[in-house]
Amino acid sequence: MTRLTKLSAAFLAIFMTAGNSVAQEEKALEPAVKKATEINESAAKSQQKINNITDQIDNKLQQFKAINKETTGLDVYNGQLQKQIDNQMQEMDDLNASIDGVSIIERQITPLMMRMITGLAQFVALDVPFLAQERNNRVVELQAMMDRADIAPSEKFRRVMEAYQVEMDYGRTLEAYSGLHTIDGQERDVDFLRVGRTALIYQTRDASLQGTWNKNTREWEALSSSYRTQVTKGLRMAKKQLAPDLLMLPIAMTD
């Protein structure tokens, strides 16, 4: 055997020995590799579980935030509703108190209205006797109204005040109206001229006679023919047939 052959055989022996050693080592590492693979697979599964749990936590957190926001909104809404309820309760208390007050006022206002109507009747009787029937009828209607249950106290009070307002207006207006008046025992058609409550004068249709109410004697007195033109002028002014102008009329001075 040559030297080269011997060397080749030696290298072959070494290579085979090394190959056997590697195979043995690989075989010895197989359990470790298998275990590492199992660990990696287990770790991957664990990571997947962690990811799933994290996703679930994120979802729950979002749901919690949404519910918490809704709860906060409901708290604000409920607080506002509570304020409205408290305000309505206060209004109910005020309304009940007002109703109680109205009952008291109603018990007090009825006697007051009765006294006002009585005073109005006395005033009409003592006043200048213009539109006597109309004014007396108004008082009678008010007295009859007070016995009616179908008219609310507020409406009764309104009508009484309205009657007083009408009487007040008489004191600052100029008015002409027709009527019957007894002159020297004979009933005549006349025109009445009322100047506020200052003067009440009549004139016959032919303007031949005129007279005035004397507040002191509470009787009618004849006027001289010198007042004919002024009385006629006043009647035309009251009927809107003539522009307002100065009138020279007799005025009875009260004591």
Side-chain angles (χ1 to χ4, degrees):
M1 179 176 299
T2 64
R3 183 178 177 82
L4 180 58
T5 302
K6 290 180 179 179
L7 288 172
S8 298
F11 280 119
L12 179 60
I14 293 170
F15 180 76
M16 292 179 62
T17 302
N20 291 334
S21 298
V22 171
Q24 290 176 356
E25 289 178 359
E26 289 180 353
K27 188 175 182 178
L29 291 173
E30 283 180 0
V33 173
K34 183 178 180 181
K35 192 67 175 178
T37 301
E38 293 177 353
I39 291 173
N40 289 336
E41 292 176 351
S42 178
K45 292 179 180 179
S46 298
Q47 185 63 45
Q48 185 62 41
K49 290 181 180 180
I50 291 172
N51 292 339
N52 292 336
I53 292 172
T54 301
D55 292 340
Q56 293 178 5
I57 291 174
D58 289 340
N59 292 334
K60 296 295 183 183
L61 180 60
Q62 294 301 321
Q63 293 178 4
F64 171 77
K65 290 181 178 179
I67 293 173
N68 189 55
K69 184 177 181 180
E70 184 177 355
T71 301
T72 302
L74 288 174
D75 289 339
V76 174
Y77 179 69
N78 289 337
Q80 186 63 31
L81 284 181
Q82 187 60 49
K83 291 180 181 179
Q84 294 179 4
I85 292 173
D86 293 341
N87 185 262
Q88 290 175 351
M89 294 298 294
Q90 183 61 46
E91 289 182 357
M92 289 177 61
D93 292 340
D94 294 342
L95 183 59
N96 289 331
S98 298
I99 292 173
D100 294 338
V102 167
S103 299
I104 296 174
I105 293 174
E106 183 177 342
R107 290 195 297 269
Q108 296 175 345
I109 200 67
T110 299
L112 173 62
M113 287 189 291
M114 296 297 294
R115 293 193 298 270
M116 291 176 68
I117 295 172
T118 300
L120 184 61
Q122 294 173 350
F123 177 78
V124 171
L126 297 174
D127 196 21
V128 177
F130 61 89
L131 300 174
Q133 183 175 355
E134 176 183 326
R135 297 165 71 196
N136 285 322
N137 287 342
R138 186 180 297 116
V139 172
V140 171
E141 289 174 0
L142 290 176
Q143 292 170 337
M145 175 193 69
M146 295 303 297
D147 296 332
R148 294 179 57 179
D150 60 331
I151 301 178
S154 58
E155 176 63 15
K156 292 179 180 179
F157 186 74
R158 186 192 68 80
R159 294 187 186 180
V160 171
M161 294 304 297
E162 186 179 67
Y164 267 79
Q165 184 63 51
V166 170
E167 290 293 333
M168 288 178 60
D169 291 341
Y170 285 144
R172 53 176 179 264
T173 55
L174 182 68
E175 181 182 19
Y177 62 95
S178 300
L180 297 175
H181 184 63
T182 302
I183 303 175
D184 297 330
Q186 183 180 359
E187 196 170 67
R188 301 282 299 271
D189 287 326
V190 300
D191 289 323
F192 289 97
L193 174 64
R194 178 182 59 78
V195 183
R197 283 189 166 84
T198 304
L200 180 62
I201 300 170
Y202 72 83
Q203 186 178 66
T204 57
R205 295 296 175 85
D206 59 3
S208 61
L209 298 173
Q210 47 272 323
T212 184
W213 175 259
N214 189 314
K215 294 182 180 180
N216 296 323
T217 62
R218 296 193 61 79
E219 292 181 353
W220 288 99
E221 296 179 352
L223 287 177
S224 69
S225 58
S226 61
Y227 287 105
R228 179 181 302 138
T229 301
Q230 290 296 314
V231 173
T232 301
K233 180 180 177 181
L235 288 169
R236 293 185 62 192
M237 289 170 54
K239 294 176 182 179
K240 312 298 182 184
Q241 297 173 351
L242 193 66
D245 197 2
L246 183 66
L247 291 174
M248 300 297 292
L249 297 173
I251 302 297
M253 299 300 293
T254 57
D255 294 335

